[in-house]
Amino acid sequence: FMKQGQGMLLLYTMKNPSFPEYVFSSESGIMCLDFHNDHPHLVAVGFYDGNVAIYNLKKATSQPSYKSSAKSGKHTEPVWQVKWQKDDMDNNLNFFSVSSDGRIVSWTLVKNELVHTDVIKLSVEETTMQGPEGPQLQTLGCGTSFDFHKKIDYLFLVGTEEGKIYKCSKCYSSQFLDVFEAHHMAVDSVSWNPYHLKVFISCSSDWTVKIWDHTIKTPMFIYDLNSAVGDVAWSPYSSTVFAAVTTDGKAHVFDLSINKYEALCTQLVVAKKKNKITHIQFNPVYPIVIIGDERGHVTSLKLSPNLRRMPKAKKGQEVKKGPEVEIAKLDKLLNLVREPESKA
């Protein structure tokens, strides 16, 4: 981080892991990216210098099709995450960004420019100080990660450097719906469960992964992984499977329906000293995870059959599949740890 150089956006195919299909170079380091669901040729990226941009893979140029600028609301700190959202009322494409400067910004593609709107400014009320003349100095909270609810369009979560997770609405720019005192250090990733609409997961540099019901202020499950957790991801095929990566170079895969207390698999992925894993992501179709580290290496791993085991049918019954089954599976586990509600 002290020696910032140029950045690169590389796109690979699994068929040729030795050389990228597309190469885009940039003046500043690229911190994050997101592909558009309906237009996969459009990639939104966030830069270390606070800018955001959109690259169009259909265009032969190496320059982004859209880029923010100091005039058009760029962030003043690194952008940690960008995410595409549904088109706005006028059918314009739009995405959101979160940065250490405490701003969550919505970017809309209007004709040939990016139009920005500040959705929320994170502020840490507790650290307001009394100055010599008596004014209060309000410090900004540093956003580190965010995720949008899969079904409730206006609802999103923001993780911060202070360890808090804010539940926010796109409709209210000045206040939060709720605050979770989630972690003791920076929240490195926060993510809604793809099946269960109430459940989200968070991980932190405080060594823990926590699973939450967003209507309850205390976590449902807490896992201590003995090292700072860089990233966590839900699997696309099961509501109870997630994977996390830690700074000691290990990847951990959990399936709550098989073991609620510890990982099914913990594997060393990068053996070299002075190298940390920073990201993990599941392939949406195949049983593959992809892991990125601080040295710029990307490692692709296949999950063994026991890590993606599907429920077996009882004799004479067929295996039920589908979202309802996944929701019921996770609900059953949560009901075990939910405090019994006092009878009215």
Side-chain angles (χ1 to χ4, degrees):
F1 280 101
M2 304 317 288
K3 300 182 209 152
Q4 277 303 309
Q6 293 181 323
M8 288 191 105
L9 171 63
L10 306 178
L11 288 100
Y12 287 87
T13 168
M14 289 289 213
K15 293 173 183 172
N16 180 13
S18 56
F19 198 78
E21 298 287 299
Y22 295 89
V23 179
F24 299 98
S25 55
S26 61
E27 290 161 24
S28 175
I30 295 178
M31 309 302 293
C32 52
L33 58 84
D34 191 30
F35 284 93
H36 196 288
N37 255 352
D38 303 324
H39 311 285
H41 60 281
L42 296 177
V43 188
V45 300
F47 295 98
Y48 185 81
D49 65 5
N51 273 312
V52 294
I54 292 170
Y55 287 92
N56 186 340
L57 306 184
K58 286 183 174 176
K59 292 193 174 171
T61 171
S62 63
Q63 293 305 307
S65 299
Y66 298 85
K67 193 173 181 186
S68 61
S69 65
K71 280 185 197 165
S72 66
K74 82 181 260 289
H75 291 282
T76 52
E77 297 275 337
V79 179
W80 294 111
Q81 214 168 348
V82 287
K83 272 198 193 286
W84 288 101
Q85 284 297 286
K86 285 179 186 161
D87 294 359
D88 69 6
M89 299 289 201
D90 302 320
N91 294 329
N92 292 316
L93 298 170
N94 72 104
F95 68 95
F96 281 62
S97 60
V98 63
S99 161
S100 309
D101 66 4
R103 290 162 63 219
I104 313 291
V105 180
S106 163
W107 303 88
T108 308
L109 282 66
V110 181
K111 291 178 181 163
N112 294 322
E113 60 175 339
L114 279 176
V115 177
H116 81 285
T117 311
D118 280 22
V119 179
I120 228 159
K121 266 198 171 78
L122 300 173
S123 58
V124 188
E125 287 82 9
E126 296 82 40
T127 50
T128 50
M129 290 152 31
Q130 204 69 20
E133 284 95 38
Q136 285 199 316
L137 300 170
Q138 200 176 37
T139 59
L140 283 177
C142 297
T144 52
S145 56
F146 67 166
D147 195 25
F148 291 87
H149 198 276
K150 308 286 184 271
K151 288 280 190 295
I152 307 168
D153 195 45
Y154 61 84
L155 195 64
F156 65 100
L157 298 165
V158 182
T160 62
E161 220 165 84
E162 298 79 46
K164 289 185 171 67
I165 294 174
Y166 294 97
K167 186 162 76 174
C168 307
S169 165
K170 291 180 188 175
C171 311
Y172 304 113
S173 58
S174 56
Q175 64 193 83
F176 312 116
L177 302 178
D178 217 339
V179 182
F180 299 88
E181 302 287 339
H183 293 279
H184 302 300
M185 291 174 77
V187 180
D188 292 313
S189 183
V190 62
S191 172
W192 291 101
N193 187 283
Y195 293 96
H196 200 296
L197 300 181
K198 280 188 174 180
V199 177
F200 69 89
I201 196 165
S202 64
C203 72
S204 166
S205 306
D206 68 3
W207 297 14
T208 61
V209 169
K210 297 185 182 182
I211 295 173
W212 307 76
D213 175 326
H214 82 84
T215 60
I216 298 169
K217 294 296 268 291
T218 52
M220 293 292 184
F221 294 96
I222 301 175
Y223 298 97
D224 186 333
L225 300 186
N226 296 320
S227 190
V229 188
D231 196 11
V232 69
W234 290 108
S235 85
Y237 57 82
S238 169
S239 64
T240 55
V241 175
F242 66 90
V245 286
T246 45
T247 51
D248 56 0
K250 290 175 182 167
H252 312 257
V253 180
F254 288 78
D255 187 342
L256 303 177
S257 64
I258 296 174
N259 188 335
K260 295 193 295 290
Y261 305 105
E262 53 192 39
L264 295 185
C265 166
T266 294
Q267 186 167 320
L268 194 67
V269 179
V270 292
K272 290 188 177 113
K273 295 261 176 10
K274 294 181 185 170
N275 190 5
K276 294 173 184 170
I277 305 181
T278 53
H279 281 299
I280 184 162
Q281 196 66 54
F282 282 86
N283 182 295
V285 181
Y286 301 105
I288 293 169
V289 290
I290 204 153
I291 290 169
D293 66 37
E294 272 193 349
R295 292 280 176 94
H297 297 133
V298 177
T299 309
S300 171
L301 301 163
K302 190 173 180 181
L303 296 168
S304 60
N306 67 311
L307 297 182
R308 48 188 155 103
R309 197 161 64 203
M310 293 299 157
K312 285 179 182 166
K314 290 174 183 164
K315 277 189 178 176
Q317 289 181 335
E318 58 175 312
V319 177
K320 288 182 181 172
K321 287 182 180 175
E324 295 81 15
V325 178
E326 292 300 333
I327 293 165
K329 196 164 67 168
L330 189 49
D331 245 345
K332 192 175 168 186
L333 287 162
L334 295 178
N335 287 334
L336 296 173
V337 290
R338 279 194 181 111
E339 290 176 22
E341 290 171 21
S342 53
K343 288 171 185 169

